[in-house]
Amino acid sequence: MEGLKVSDANLVVYIHPSKAGKVSQSILRELSTLLFKYNEIFDGVVLAYDVTIQNKNAKVLPGIYPCFGVKLKAKMLLFSPKPDMLLEGKVVKLGKESLHVIVLGFSSASIAEEDIREEFRYRIKHGEEVFASTSHKRHVIKVGSMIQFLVKSFDEEILHISGSLIPVNTGSTKWLHKNMEEGSMVDRLETRKKKRKDDRSEMHEHSTELLDDVGFSLKNEGRPKKSKRQRHAEQS
């Protein structure tokens, strides 16, 4: 899925001197406050981190609230959706005018009726609301379905995504994956058929050329040779 990236960062975590005996715990507690929030510095929502303390020697910094800084090197897993990226999420609510999705278990997304391509029609099947494709009867989106959709915009403050199902490569991920595999298989079969056809055509042309050459040779060999006297008589 697009929108996920890993970023290297050099950080300084400031800890109160009273926590000097529990530095590791204090660092993790401070870093945990970054989780599942959009961070402008990293340009994304922090999902996870892996840290290494670069320098264990720390000095108390003077001020109204004394503290000491610990330098860290961290790898940050970030969620940073941008317009035109493809994301995956689970449908949690579906209605005639929109459907709602949860991405990665924390970010909400909504897709309005005007952003759902005409191929999908709202229907009620066996008492369940669905968006069913009119082109492919097995392509159905319902509550609980995993879907792939296009990002239109991302509200960084409330972590809300506005999405679209207009592109043909969006819809039920289960159907898309199966259709892509079948499409690839058909393409491979067509390529093999074309290659065999080309090979047969080339063999046919080669065989025709050989037959023509053999026929020409046989024709010449079957013609009786004239003596020098006969050729001289014909010329006279």
Side-chain angles (χ1 to χ4, degrees), residues 99-111:
L99 58 85
H100 300 268
V101 181
I102 289 294
V103 180
L104 296 175
F106 75 94
S107 182
S108 63
S110 62
I111 303 173

Side-chain angles (χ1 to χ4, degrees), residues 3 5 34 36-47 77-82 106 154 156 159:
K5 63 179 182 179
L34 301 175
F36 303 107
K37 296 177 182 177
Y38 181 82
N39 190 296
E40 291 184 359
I41 297 175
F42 302 132
D43 186 28
V45 180
V46 181
L47 301 182
L77 176 61
L78 305 171
F79 177 57
S80 182
K82 304 294 183 184
F106 75 94
F154 178 51
E156 300 162 352
L159 306 183

